[in-house]
Amino acid sequence: MLQGKKILLGITGSIAAYKSIFLVRLLVKAGAEVKVIMTPAAKDFVTPLSLSTLSRNPVLTDLFDEQSWANHVMLGRWADVLLIAPLSANTLAKMASGQCDNLLLATYLSATCPVVVAPAMDEDMWHHPTAKENCKKLESFGNRVIPVEKGDLASGLHGDGRMAEPEQIVQYLVSNFFLTSPVAGKKAIVTAGPTYEPIDPVRFIGNHSSGKMGIAIAKELQHRGADVTLILGPTTYDFSENGIKLKRVTTAAEMYAASHDLFDRADIAIMAAAVADYSPVTAAAEKIKKKEDGLTVELVKTKDILKSLGEKKKPGQVLVGFALETNNEKQNALDKLTRKNADMIILNSLNDAGAGFGHDTNKITIFDKGGNEISFAAKPKSEVAKDIVDTIIRLYYA
Ligand code: CTP
């Protein structure tokens, strides 16, 4: 199940740490290579000796010892996943605020791999607003939180706050990170968001794209094991996901350059960005002052990224575009499919409720070169992203 996967397990000071012993055993039995980092408080609950014996690796606890410095950066790079279980209220708060007073926190702050936490605390602590806030913060950083369970607690109370069972944690890792998907290991680029075309230092031509759809697709591909680079225009939507490479751009020209830089090595390219079609011929160096009469800004056509990638596409590369339409939807989508030499065009119509810019939902129809037309109901963008990735797999990787 987890053959050859590298799991870095962080254990913090919580009574649920006794379950970590079972967790290590299950991970090793499933074929994973496990390294354990303990916080100083964790050692009051379980011994490093038990954990090093079961994990078959020395347990790491200190940032420094007399001889050497523990390389927390390399630990985070070594791991496929950093799992912190149990996560105490104290370490949760420190992670949320970026503190770094032990090896586990230093490793967390420098980890480039996905991070999953399984909190464990007594019911009243779990229900304190700070615990909720801090969990939300971790999620906003792109970390995953495995929900706590209801049950008997160390305090003698019965309620929320128990750490998920080790079997469930292992299952969570498998189904979220290690299911062998046909796109696992494939290189994917995704463009998302608007572009801003400067008129002068304070003004630009832009659009209402939030980037949410493209970001959801990038996340879905990453969850299926693809090596994803997200080329993201200037959206205000907060994005972070450990494991996705992020290239931020502002203008259509920058998005064009970044896409072309990466396309040759890409297996899949999904152009979900709402790229400006026109850009001012020149951006004024100084702020343009208001005059009595009107203002004419001369615009020049931007380069069509999707079309130019379609021209250089090699066999085996899958190129996907979007079509956001308000009328003649199907005809326009089919026209973009041929004109831009895409393999698939995903149509969303502004006439459909819950579709288009800014919404958390979308309603799409997929057209492909083989003549397929597949319509989906309106659903959250994360679910739409799953439909898109499933369709890519079915049509090109099955
Ligand atoms: N696109 C692109 N580069 C551009 C314009 C569009 O890569 N300069 C891509 C979009 O990311 C999308 C697809 O082309 O995947 C269709 O974009 P859309 O704006 O719907 O189409 P346009 O070609 O711009 O045509 P129109 O605006 O006339 O509908």
Side-chain angles (χ1 to χ4, degrees), residues 191 252 271-277 302-307 320-325 336 339-340 345:
T191 64
M271 302 288 107
V275 189
D277 288 331
T302 58
K303 290 188 198 159
D304 191 315
I305 306 168
L306 178 61
K307 186 160 179 282
V320 179
F322 272 75
L324 176 64
E325 306 294 341
K336 280 173 192 168
R339 195 160 41 86
K340 304 196 185 200
I345 286 283

Side-chain angles (χ1 to χ4, degrees), residues 8-275:
L8 190 55
L9 173 65
I11 303 178
T12 71
S14 153
I15 185 67
Y18 81 89
K19 290 190 191 171
S20 308
I21 293 182
F22 297 100
L23 183 55
V24 171
R25 200 159 162 264
L26 287 178
L27 291 169
V28 170
K29 264 177 95 176
E33 200 182 327
V34 182
K35 289 188 183 176
V36 175
I37 303 178
M38 297 175 82
T39 61
K43 287 196 272 184
D44 293 334
F45 295 90
V46 274
T47 71
L49 182 60
S50 316
L51 291 159
S52 62
T53 309
L54 289 168
S55 67
R56 302 174 192 149
N57 271 314
V59 168
L60 305 154
T61 49
D62 299 315
L63 263 170
F64 310 96
D65 63 23
E66 280 157 20
Q67 313 296 326
S68 60
W69 165 71
N71 191 336
H72 53 88
V73 175
M74 289 326 289
L75 283 168
R77 288 191 174 230
W78 167 84
D80 292 314
V81 171
L82 168 60
L83 166 67
I84 304 182
L87 174 65
S88 65
N90 187 34
T91 300
L92 168 64
K94 288 180 177 182
M95 287 166 74
S97 61
Q99 292 183 52
C100 185
D101 62 3
N102 62 44
L103 177 61
L104 178 60
L105 292 165
T107 306
Y108 165 69
L109 288 175
S110 50
T112 49
C113 60
V115 178
V116 182
V117 299
M121 55 199 85
D122 227 313
E123 178 168 42
D124 298 334
M125 287 167 89
W126 177 247
H127 286 303
H128 192 278
T130 55
K132 295 279 163 311
E133 276 298 304
N134 289 335
C135 280
K136 269 200 205 133
K137 261 197 181 171
L138 293 201
E139 283 174 333
S140 77
F141 302 156
N143 306 156
R144 311 276 197 96
V145 180
I146 304 180
V148 296
E149 294 185 348
K150 209 185 226 3
D152 292 334
L153 299 163
S155 58
L157 294 172
H158 183 90
D160 292 330
R162 275 171 70 98
M163 182 176 88
E165 292 302 323
E167 290 79 1
Q168 281 170 335
I169 295 178
V170 173
Q171 196 46 54
Y172 184 95
L173 292 185
V174 171
S175 54
N176 281 274
F177 299 102
F178 302 121
L179 269 187
T180 25
S181 150
V183 293
K186 299 281 175 212
K187 286 198 171 8
I189 56 174
V190 180
T191 64
T195 63
Y196 287 175
E197 310 304 319
I199 296 172
D200 67 14
V202 292
R203 305 174 178 101
F204 59 84
I205 299 176
N207 60 63
H208 291 301
S209 170
S210 62
K212 284 181 187 170
M213 191 63 251
I215 289 171
I217 295 170
K219 285 184 177 175
E220 187 57 34
L221 282 165
Q222 201 253 339
H223 294 169
R224 311 258 189 133
D227 174 358
V228 186
T229 305
L230 175 65
I231 303 169
L232 185 60
T235 167
T236 49
Y237 179 60
D238 201 17
F239 165 78
S240 88
E241 172 90 349
N242 288 329
I244 293 182
K245 295 170 194 137
L246 182 62
K247 173 97 187 101
R248 283 197 182 265
V249 294
T250 304
T251 63
E254 287 169 9
M255 191 173 273
Y256 178 94
S259 304
H260 276 267
D261 252 11
L262 295 163
F263 184 65
D264 286 345
R265 278 165 281 122
D267 301 292
I268 303 167
I270 304 184
M271 302 288 107
V275 189

